[in-house]
Structure formats: structure tokens, C-alpha cells
């Protein structure tokens, strides 16, 4: 196993299982929210009530006889007559390490914490058949029912988590268990196909392979916390006998091209929480969800959740990497204001699990951070009010202009450079832990086909989903198309802003309604909608980029860079051969990018 996979395995534990794992560097202020530790700035906020906690580990037996490992953390010296809510965290990355100590934040404020190993992982028995399999999800609901029946419980259950545990928080809501009242899912996938694993239908090969190998290491490593009665490890040894039956996610991913393929034993829609939106709506669970502009497709997942479901939502998109362990904003300044996000989570749970009036907004809101401007903003609509989709055309001499080209057959030829890369610290790699760092893109852009604007005459705010329209010909029947939106300052430094990708095979824009209601062209990624390229024939690829909110300064220039591969992250398409494409920039093929410009 490579050093990078070992490092990723460790980071799976640190970044993705730690309920409160984050650095002070990313505790950025949501200016429209109360801030800091001062209880006077939180309506109804109470100081910690307990100074210590007790913990015990045990098995709960599920409906089919499978024993699930559970870690219960309670405030120490909890009065016998006091009833408290519980917060669940459910994972396939170990609920706790053998020598680990519980975080006292929530128990200190009068909450029980319940950590759960997914079946077939950690110290639990059973087989992990697939991510978020139906049996796994049913287990979580059974644990919630057990919690509500405990003598210390006030009957209210919440859930919090990051990454896999963020997904399981939403899955718990989908069970419609009446005890579950509020969840805080962070940095999750709403659509398990078209987000982290297959953005635009292109497999994030390195990430999925590394994630899979990291999980295999966790599944057979005895460092997980054993249940208290397992003093000789015999129960753990028995539980792990079937770990070889756990799903090889990478092998299944390599066999999956379309959304309705079943290499995972299920279609990816069956394993995607977006398919259960009606159940989550019916549950009426309150949602306080978080994502990061520089974390894979989590900003899009937050927006999809916000648009698709009517539940109360307090949605937040910050300038973060995966798990908000880093402020990845390339424009950040020392003057950025900060707040402990832990207290925002406490404020939310106090309201919904304890019934304390903490001054939350009555209606759902989306809080988002505009990089470059360094400001938090809030909206109840997406696109935000004042958005105007503004076309920027690909024009002669590699220019990007507001004026459409007038030639009849002009085009730019580009032979795909399979050495092109966004590096090993990009928005997709952070999904298995680590920082997001995009170096100056000036040299890398020399490998790509680029279009650059003149210096901007005024500041320009771009907030929303840019949409690319490429009219191309190709020498091959398939290919991956990457679009990068970049900012060039007065000194020529090229700063990455966002990106989008689309596999040409999936280019058909569906006439059906998107189940996630995004304001971008809808690609179904279904077999029935497959559309191979015809070599030499003009084809249109129209697709959205990952959303962003950025203020590009006066005097800077915008750049669109086109690639056919990202070698450190994505699978090569096609597997063999080197396609040459021609990007049309003429009256019959108006290649462009539409930017969501905010008019003040």
C-alpha cells in the first residue's frame, strides 16, 4: 500500500469521523448569525452543565440477528430524573478508536452522544454490502428507537456527521423515525452518481480507489474500540470473519458507466439519498447542512438539498475543504472574522432537541461566503436575487469576449494533453482528507486550450452555476471535457475558481424534469440517453460547472481553460488513443460560458 493510501486511511479517521474535528483557522463568522462564546449573544443559550462524561461500548442486536457496535457517551453525574436528548453519529470509519476519549462538548451541554459502526465495519458484525445499503439504514433507525426508550432520554434524537456520517444523518431522516427531529449533515453527497464519484459522468478514479483501499485497511485493523465485554477480542475476531465479503467499491466503480448500471448490487439511485427526498420531507426533520466551495461537489449537494426539499433548512456553504478543516479560499485575509461553528451546531440542536428559543430564522435560509469580497451573505432563493446569466464567447486569438463571433467556420484545434493536471491537492482529493491547494495555473494552462478576457472595467460578482456550451468536433466517439474558470491578476497569476466536467457519451440534455431541481442543463446519465460522438460531426456539450461565489476585481481578467483529462484524479477517456478536438467559435457554433453575474 502506498504512503498516500496510508495517509488517506489515517485522514479518514481524523477528518471524517471526528464530530467536532476542525481547526480554528476555518471558524469563519457568519455575519448574520450570533458569534462567539458569549451566552448573551445566543438567545436561550446555556453554559455547559457537566464537566465530565462516562462512556460504554456494547452490542445491539438488530431485527435479523446482526450485532451492531454502539458507543454511548453520557454526562457524568446525570441526575436520575433529568431527561436529555441524544445525538447520533453513524459511520463505516470506526465509531471510536480503542484508546480514544470522547469529545466533551455536547455531553457537557447536556446531550447523550451515540456512535454506531455500520454493519460489517468497525466492531460490528454482518457484511457491508454497499454504501448506505437498505439494511445499514434500517439499523440506524433501530438504534434511534432504542435511544428513545432509554430512561435518560427525552425522546428526541438528532444526528451529526461529516462525509460518510453526513450522508448517514440524512439517511436516518429518510427512515421517518418519529424520534428523529433534527440533523446536521456536513460535506455529503446528495446524488451518489453525479457528485463525488462521477461528476459529469467521469470517474474520479484516484479518489475512489484510495477511499476503497483505506476502507479495506480499517476493516481488518484491530485498533477500533471493542465492546466492553470483549476483553479477549474473541467477539471482534468473530465479527471480522466475513470482512472479505464487504463490497469492493473500486471494482464496482470501474464497471459502472451509467446511473442505472447495477455493479454495486443496486443502481446508484437506490444508494442515493436524493431518491428518498419525499420521505425526508414527510419526516419534517430540521436540517442544518454544511458544504465547502472547494470540496468536491458538496456545494452542489447543499444547493440540491435546499432546492429539492421543503424541510426547514439552515444551509451553509463556506470557503472550505472537506470537513472544513481548512479555509481553502485563495483570497483570504488576516482580517477575516471567526466564530466557533460548534456553538452554531449547539444553537441548532438546543432549539430542535431541547425546545429552547435560540433565535433561529423562521424560514429556511442559505448562508454563503463570497470569496474575494470576504463577506457572508444570505438568501432564500437560488439563483440569488439579481442574478443575470451573462454570455462570454470564445473568440479569435484565444479571446473571451462579450461580443459573439461572426465568422462562419472559425474553430480552434486542440490535441488532448493527457499530462494535464490540477494537482494532488485539488477539490476531489480532499474527499479522503487533506488540504486544497491550487498553485498558480499559468504554466499548467499552457497545456490547455484557453480563452482570456480583457481586463475587467469594474468588480464583477459571480454567484451561482456557470454554464458552458461547447460546440466541438472530435476524432473519437467519446471523451472527457473539463472546463476551468480562472482569475488572472495584474501580475499574470492564474487563480483557480471552479470547474465542470462532462463525459461526451452523456451529453444529451434530458427533456425530463431533474429530480434535484438545479438551474442547469439536466443530464440523466441513463443508458437510454447515451449519445456517442460521431467523428468529424459537430456536437454540442452543454453543462453546468460547480457553483461558486466570488468577487473578481477590477483590472483582473477572466479565463476559461479547456482540458480533456486531469491525470492525477480522473479516469482516462478514451482509454486508448489521443483525440483531437476542434472548438467551434462561429455563427453556427457559438461556444461560450454563461456566468451568473450579480447586478447590484
Amino acid at each position: 500500500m502506498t504512503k498516500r493510501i496510508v495517509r488517506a486511511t489515517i485522514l479518514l479517521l481524523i477528518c471524517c469521523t471526528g464530530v467536532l474535528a476542525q481547526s480554528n483557522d476555518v471558524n469563519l463568522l457568519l455575519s448574520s448569525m450570533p458569534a462567539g462564546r458569549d451566552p448573551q449573544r445566543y438567545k436561550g443559550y446555556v453554559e455547559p452543565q457537566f464537566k465530565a462524561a462516562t462512556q460504554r461500548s456494547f452490542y445491539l442486536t438488530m431485527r435479523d440477528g446482526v450485532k451492531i457496535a454502539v458507543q454511548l457517551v453520557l454526562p457524568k453525574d446525570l441526575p436520575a430524573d433529568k431527561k436529555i436528548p441524544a445525538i447520533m453519529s453513524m459511520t463505516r470509519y470506526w465509531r471510536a478508536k480503542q484508546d480514544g476519549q470522547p469529545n466533551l462538548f455536547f455531553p457537557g451541554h447536556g446531550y447523550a452522544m451515540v456512535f454506531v459502526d455500520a454493519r460489517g465495519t468497525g466492531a460490528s458484525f454482518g457484511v457491508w454490502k454497499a454504501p448506505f445499503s437498505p439494511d445499514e439504514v434500517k439499523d440506524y433507525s433501530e438504534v434511534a428507537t432504542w435511544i428513545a426508550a432509554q430512561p435518560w432520554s427525552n425522546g428526541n434524537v438528532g444526528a451529526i456527521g461529516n462525509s460518510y456520517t453526513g450522508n448517514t444523518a440524512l439517511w436516518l431522516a429518510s427512515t421517518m423515525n418519529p424520534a428523529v427531529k433534527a440533523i446536521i449533515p456536513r460535506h455529503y453527497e446528495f446524488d451518489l452518481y453525479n457528485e463525488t464519484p462521477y461528476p459529469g459522468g467521469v470517474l474520479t478514479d484516484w479518489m475512489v480507489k484510495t477511499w476503497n483501499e483505506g476502507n479495506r485497511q480499517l476493516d481488518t485493523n484491530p485498533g477500533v474500540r471493542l465492546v466492553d465485554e470483549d476483553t479477549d477480542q474473541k467477539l471482534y475476531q468473530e465479527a471480522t470473519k466475513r470482512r472479505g465479503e464487504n463490497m469492493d467499491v473500486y471494482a464496482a466503480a470501474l464497471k459502472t458507466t451509467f446511473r442505472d448500471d447495477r455493479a454495486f448490487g443496486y443502481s446508484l439511485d437506490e444508494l442515493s439519498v436524493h431518491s428518498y427526498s419525499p420521505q425526508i420531507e414527510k419526516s419534517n426533520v430540521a436540517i442544518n447542512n454544511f458544504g465547502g466551495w472547494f470540496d468536491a461537489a458538496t456545494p452542489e449537494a447543499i444547493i440540491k438539498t435546499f432546492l429539492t426539499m421543503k424541510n426547514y433548512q439552515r444551509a451553509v456553504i463556506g470557503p472550505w475543504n472537506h470537513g472544513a478543516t481548512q479555509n481553502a479560499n485563495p483570497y483570504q485575509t488576516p482580517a477575516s472574522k471567526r466564530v466557533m461553528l460548534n456553538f452554531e451546531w449547539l444553537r441548532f440542536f438546543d432549539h430542535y432537541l431541547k425546545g429552547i428559543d435560540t433565535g433561529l430564522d423562521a424560514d429556511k435560509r442559505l448562508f454563503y461566503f463570497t470569496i474575494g469580497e470576504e463577506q457572508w451573505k444570505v438568501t432564500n432563493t437560488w439563483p440569488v436575487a439579481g442574478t443575470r446569466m451573462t454570455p462570454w464567447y470564445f473568440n479569435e486569438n484565444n479571446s473571451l469576449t462579450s461580443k459573439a463571433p461572426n465568422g462562419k467556420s472559425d474553430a480552434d484545434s486542440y490535441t488532448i494533453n493527457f499530462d494535464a493536471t490540477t494537482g494532488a491537492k485539488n477539490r476531489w482529493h480532499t474527499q479522503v482528507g487533506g488540504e486544497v491547494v491550487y498553485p498558480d495555473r499559468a504554466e499548467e494552462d499552457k497545456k490547455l486550450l484557453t480563452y482570456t478576457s480583457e481586463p475587467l472595467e469594474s468588480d464583477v460578482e459571480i454567484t451561482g452555476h456557470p454554464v458552458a456550451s461547447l460546440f466541438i468536433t472530435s476524432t473519437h466517439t467519446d471523451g472527457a471535457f473539463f472546463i476551468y474558470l480562472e482569475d488572472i491578476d495584474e501580475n499574470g497569476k492564474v487563480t483557480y475558481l471552479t470547474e465542470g466536467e462532462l463525459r461526451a457519451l452523456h451529453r444529451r440534455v434530458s427533456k425530463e424534469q431533474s429530480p434535484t431541481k438545479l438551474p442547469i442543463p439536466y443530464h440523466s446519465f441513463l443508458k437510454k440517453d447515451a449519445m456517442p460522438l460521431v467523428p468529424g460531426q459537430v456536437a454540442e456539450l452543454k453543462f453546468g460547472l460547480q457553483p461558486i461565489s466570488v468577487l473578481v476585481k477590477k483590472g483582473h481578467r477572466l479565463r476559461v481553460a479547456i482540458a480533456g483529462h486531469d491525470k492525477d484524479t480522473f479516469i482516462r477517456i478514451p482509454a486508448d488513443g489521443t483525440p483531437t478536438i476542434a472548438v467551434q467559435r462561429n455563427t453556427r457554433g457559438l461556444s461560450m460560458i454563461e456566468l451568473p453575474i450579480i447586478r447590484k
Side-chain angles (χ1 to χ4, degrees):
M1 187 169 65
T2 68
K3 290 182 179 180
R4 293 181 74 187
I5 292 176
V6 172
R7 176 175 174 271
T9 304
I10 295 171
L11 286 167
L12 282 176
L13 286 171
I14 295 173
C15 175
C16 302
T17 65
V19 170
L20 301 175
Q22 61 181 48
S23 71
N24 290 334
D25 192 40
V26 299
N27 292 317
L28 294 175
L29 174 68
L30 279 64
S31 59
S32 55
M33 299 181 181
R37 293 177 176 267
D38 182 358
Q40 298 305 315
R41 302 186 68 183
Y42 283 85
K43 187 178 180 182
Y45 175 88
V46 292
E47 287 294 325
Q49 303 163 277
F50 302 93
K51 295 181 179 180
T54 62
Q55 61 177 331
R56 63 185 183 96
S57 288
F58 51 91
Y59 284 122
L60 288 179
T61 302
M62 299 292 102
R63 67 215 162 271
D64 56 358
V66 172
K67 295 179 180 179
I68 298 300
V70 174
Q71 178 92 350
L72 173 64
V73 181
L74 286 172
K76 189 176 181 179
D77 299 323
L78 181 70
D81 60 346
K82 186 173 180 61
K83 307 296 183 182
I84 61 174
I87 300 171
M88 294 178 64
S89 178
M90 305 144 284
T91 186
R92 67 101 57 243
Y93 305 139
W94 297 0
R95 74 197 188 286
K97 295 171 66 176
Q98 181 61 26
D99 58 353
Q101 294 300 313
N103 188 295
L104 297 179
F105 182 79
F106 281 119
H109 284 86
Y111 288 86
M113 291 295 302
V114 180
F115 300 92
V116 184
D117 280 334
R119 59 171 53 206
T121 76
S124 288
F125 284 74
V127 177
W128 188 73
K129 296 180 179 179
F132 321 116
S133 70
D135 279 335
E136 179 184 342
V137 174
K138 289 177 183 177
D139 293 342
Y140 301 147
S141 182
E142 287 196 31
V143 176
T145 298
W146 174 86
I147 291 170
Q150 298 311 297
W152 47 260
S153 172
N154 73 353
N156 294 332
V157 176
I160 189 172
N162 179 74
S163 194
Y164 196 98
T165 56
N167 283 280
T168 57
L170 279 164
W171 279 108
L172 179 64
S174 77
T175 67
M176 298 184 290
N177 188 310
V180 180
K181 300 294 195 297
I183 59 173
I184 302 180
R186 303 170 53 228
H187 303 265
Y188 58 87
E189 286 79 39
F190 195 59
D191 178 348
L192 204 56
Y193 180 91
N194 187 33
E195 289 173 9
T196 300
Y198 297 91
V202 188
L203 174 65
T204 50
D205 185 77
W206 182 89
M207 194 286 297
V208 176
K209 181 178 181 180
T210 304
W211 184 73
N212 187 62
E213 289 300 317
N215 287 334
R216 284 178 174 274
Q217 292 298 311
L218 292 177
D219 286 349
T220 55
N221 188 316
V224 67
R225 188 176 189 89
L226 306 179
V227 298
D228 294 342
E229 65 177 298
D230 192 16
T231 56
D232 56 7
Q233 296 194 16
K234 287 185 178 179
L235 290 172
Y236 175 75
Q237 291 168 8
E238 183 68 24
T240 57
K241 283 182 178 179
R242 298 185 66 187
R243 292 296 158 87
E245 299 176 46
N246 282 1
M247 167 170 277
D248 186 327
V249 171
Y250 184 58
L254 290 174
K255 297 176 183 177
T256 300
T257 299
F258 301 99
R259 182 186 289 278
D260 46 350
D261 285 338
R262 301 186 67 83
F264 287 83
Y266 308 84
S267 74
L268 285 177
D269 273 349
E270 292 175 281
L271 300 174
S272 292
V273 73
H274 84 272
S275 298
Y276 300 84
S277 296
Q279 289 90 327
I280 297 175
E281 278 193 338
K282 189 174 181 180
S283 76
N284 202 34
V285 165
I287 302 171
N288 188 185
N289 41 351
F290 290 76
W293 289 132
F294 300 101
D295 174 21
T298 69
E300 187 158 281
I302 300 301
I303 294 168
K304 286 177 180 176
T305 307
F306 187 79
L307 294 176
T308 303
M309 299 190 301
K310 296 178 182 179
N311 303 60
Y312 173 85
Q313 292 180 59
R314 188 174 178 80
V316 183
I317 306 176
W320 303 315
N321 72 333
H322 192 54
T325 58
Q326 174 214 7
N327 180 351
N329 175 10
Y331 306 112
Q332 63 181 291
T333 68
S336 296
K337 298 177 182 178
R338 288 161 167 77
V339 68
M340 291 298 293
L341 290 180
N342 298 352
F343 285 84
E344 283 300 327
W345 304 335
L346 179 65
R347 183 185 181 207
F348 178 77
F349 279 142
D350 275 356
H351 184 89
Y352 283 100
L353 301 184
K354 290 185 176 180
I356 299 172
D357 180 3
T358 57
L360 293 182
D361 301 312
D363 300 317
K364 69 178 185 179
R365 296 284 188 270
L366 172 59
F367 298 86
Y368 63 97
F369 188 80
T370 302
I371 66 172
E373 189 177 4
E374 305 304 280
Q375 292 291 328
W376 282 98
K377 300 173 183 176
V378 62
T379 182
N380 59 6
T381 62
W382 193 271
V384 302
T387 302
R388 178 180 175 185
M389 295 302 291
T390 305
W392 290 75
Y393 299 94
F394 304 167
N395 224 316
E396 60 185 349
N397 300 318
N398 298 99
S399 62
L400 185 65
T401 68
S402 59
K403 183 179 180 181
N406 55 20
K408 293 184 179 181
S409 59
D410 295 337
D412 293 310
S413 179
Y414 172 65
T415 299
I416 302 303
N417 187 328
F418 285 99
D419 285 328
T421 180
T422 56
K425 291 187 176 181
N426 63 29
R427 69 187 301 142
W428 309 106
H429 283 235
T430 189
Q431 281 277 308
V432 290
E435 294 186 344
V436 175
V437 179
Y438 285 95
D440 185 345
R441 297 274 301 163
E443 283 300 312
E444 196 63 34
D445 278 357
K446 294 178 181 178
K447 301 175 184 176
L448 312 181
L449 177 61
T450 64
Y451 297 91
T452 306
S453 75
E454 291 296 317
L456 298 175
E457 296 180 356
S458 62
D459 292 351
V460 173
E461 181 186 336
I462 301 169
T463 294
H465 287 81
V467 175
S469 296
L470 297 183
F471 289 86
I472 59 99
T473 62
S474 176
T475 56
H476 286 61
T477 59
D478 200 4
F481 289 79
F482 296 81
I483 296 284
Y484 303 108
L485 180 64
E486 299 168 337
D487 168 20
I488 308 176
D489 70 14
E490 299 91 340
N491 299 315
K493 180 182 178 182
V494 181
T495 298
Y496 168 99
L497 298 178
T498 189
E499 69 182 72
E501 38 277 312
L502 181 67
R503 184 172 180 173
L505 180 67
H506 298 300
R507 74 182 188 279
R508 187 191 301 275
V509 176
S510 177
K511 295 181 180 179
E512 299 175 6
Q513 183 177 358
S514 168
T516 55
K517 302 180 182 179
L518 279 184
I520 59 175
Y522 170 49
H523 301 272
S524 75
F525 304 102
L526 298 171
K527 290 175 187 170
K528 68 181 180 67
D529 286 331
M531 185 182 288
L533 296 171
V534 178
Q537 188 175 108
V538 174
E540 182 183 13
L541 286 74
K542 188 168 186 176
F543 57 101
L545 280 64
Q546 291 296 323
I548 189 64
S549 183
V550 58
L551 187 73
V552 183
K553 300 292 188 178
K554 175 183 178 180
H556 288 210
R557 291 174 290 158
L558 293 171
R559 173 174 286 175
V560 172
I562 301 172
H565 190 47
D566 186 348
K567 73 172 184 178
D568 291 307
T569 303
F570 288 87
I571 199 165
R572 190 189 200 275
I573 302 174
D576 301 301
T578 303
T580 295
I581 64 172
V583 176
Q584 309 297 301
R585 47 172 181 80
N586 53 62
T587 54
R588 291 180 293 182
L590 286 173
S591 295
M592 71 177 83
I593 188 168
E594 294 178 88
L595 298 179
I597 305 297
I598 304 299
R599 301 299 182 187
K600 302 297 186 181

